[in-house]
Amino acid sequence: MNYFDGNEFFLFLAIALIIGFIINYLGKKIEYYILALSVIFAIAIYGKSITMLSYLVGFILFEYILVLIAQKTESKKYLKILVILSILPLVINKVFATTHLHLLAFIGISYMSFKTIQIMIEISDGLIKEKISAVEYIQFLLFFPTVSAGPIDRSRRFMSEIKERMPRTEYLELAGEGVYRLILGLLYKIVFSTLSYHYLVGLTNHGTFVYSLKYMYLYTLYLFFDFAGYSLMAVGSSNILGIRTPMNFNKPFLSIDIKDFWNRWHITLSTWLRDFVFSRVFMEATKKKRFKKRLNTAMYAYMVNMVLMGFWHGLTISYIVYGFYHGILMAGFEYYQKKSKFYKKNKNETWYKVLSWFITINLVIIGLYIFSGEPYKLISHVIKK
């Protein structure tokens, strides 16, 4: 059994959500029921491998000890060290994923790491002042709809909402939206994603330009419906349990520029990176006067932000190049926005928006083609010939 995969999971999910609906409808406390569900699902899924379960338990203990120490530490210097230590398990995971050892390899480590790093940084910033109990930490970290692939929620929002008793009419509206999102997510993942994948693996004439063109568009459809479908099911399940988990996609293929795209695609990742990487790199570079012009500082921050995004996905060449590619696009568009008279003159014209949309979507599709790793297979194929 895996999260949002297989008949067994969906059977248990249906039972869990029905009980959760009844609890919320009656206005009873839901937080301990959610905790129990999350722990049960974690044991069932991670328990298939003693190694993976051990990694998960060790990770939670290590990170929570860091959280406890951080909440008792006033020194900014020591807090920064603790933040770096909280990143360490993710770094070890990514580095050893390129070897046969696969240390700290367990489902959801990338998402759990970002959740914990957010807590550590906000403790350092003074935004989190109240002690986070072990129960609250586990509730947030192992919340089963989002544990394996997001969306990436924020601790203060989640911990506040899970204790909230929502008025019945408001809950029923949220639950209704949740059912709709859950069904739409199933449709995306089971029907549209499967159909796209069927045509994708059926492609012939490997190594030709036409093959690459077909692959790019089909892979984009497959990835979107697969990931957006999962995200919709995660958000829908959360809604039925009374939690307003943030949406992860907002019609990304209507984006009229690359910044607009990242405001619509994998939204919780891009906003996490904006808040905890881009803004901090920008402020640090500004403070230390690394660049004379604000524009150059912003371009530098975009490059760092998107390259880190590539490394977060993994240390394979496809992910790293994907990060650099989007860093160049974001930095380039920042320069174009600020310096181009053509842009400033025409940005509100309908013809310009249509042209900008067409260019943006195709740049995005090329990026996802890089992300897929297919270009490197083609290069290897050509070299072997």
Side-chain angles (χ1 to χ4, degrees), residues 48-65:
K48 293 183 297 183
S49 165
I50 296 300
T51 301
M52 188 162 62
L53 184 60
S54 300
Y55 283 152
L56 175 67
V57 172
F59 174 85
I60 292 171
L61 288 172
F62 174 75
E63 296 287 359
Y64 184 62
I65 288 169

Side-chain angles (χ1 to χ4, degrees), residues 83-103:
V83 169
I84 292 168
L85 286 173
S86 73
I87 301 170
L88 191 59
L90 180 60
V91 173
I92 291 171
N93 168 264
K94 297 301 179 184
V95 170
F96 281 93
T98 61
T99 72
H100 67 282
L101 295 175
H102 298 290
L103 286 180

Side-chain angles (χ1 to χ4, degrees), residues 7-21:
N7 296 334
E8 190 179 7
F9 176 84
F10 283 108
L11 174 62
F12 285 115
L13 178 66
I15 296 168
L17 294 182
I18 289 169
I19 295 170
F21 176 83

Side-chain angles (χ1 to χ4, degrees), residues 1 39-48:
M1 183 168 68
V39 170
I40 290 167
F41 274 118
I43 291 170
I45 291 169
Y46 293 94
K48 293 183 297 183

Side-chain angles (χ1 to χ4, degrees), residues 24 46 49 64 67 86 117 125 127 132 145 153 157 184 194 203 209 213 222 224 265 282-283 307 322 339 369:
N24 275 301
Y46 293 94
S49 165
Y64 184 62
V67 169
S86 73
I117 294 163
D125 289 346
L127 295 172
I132 297 173
D153 209 342
R157 193 211 69 79
L184 184 61
T194 303
L203 289 176
F209 174 75
L213 204 62
Y222 160 70
F224 169 71
W265 176 277
F282 182 85
M283 287 188 290
V307 169
Y322 178 73
K339 292 292 186 179
Y369 181 58

Side-chain angles (χ1 to χ4, degrees), residues 94 98 309-317 319-320:
K94 297 301 179 184
T98 61
M309 179 272 295
F311 278 103
W312 178 79
H313 281 95
L315 299 186
T316 63
I317 187 69
Y319 295 144
I320 294 169

Side-chain angles (χ1 to χ4, degrees), residues 35 55 77 83 87 92 171 233 239 260 271 308 366 382:
L35 175 63
Y55 283 152
K77 180 182 176 180
V83 169
I87 301 170
I92 291 171
Y171 168 70
M233 288 189 287
N239 293 161
D260 188 28
T271 53
L308 183 64
I366 291 168
V382 170

Side-chain angles (χ1 to χ4, degrees), residues 254-257 342-359:
L254 296 181
S255 306
I256 59 170
D257 59 57
F342 177 78
Y343 170 78
K344 292 172 183 177
K345 180 182 177 181
N346 298 294
K347 64 180 180 179
N348 294 320
E349 299 291 337
T350 301
W351 68 266
Y352 178 85
K353 289 180 180 178
V354 172
L355 179 62
S356 182
W357 164 81
F358 179 78
I359 293 170

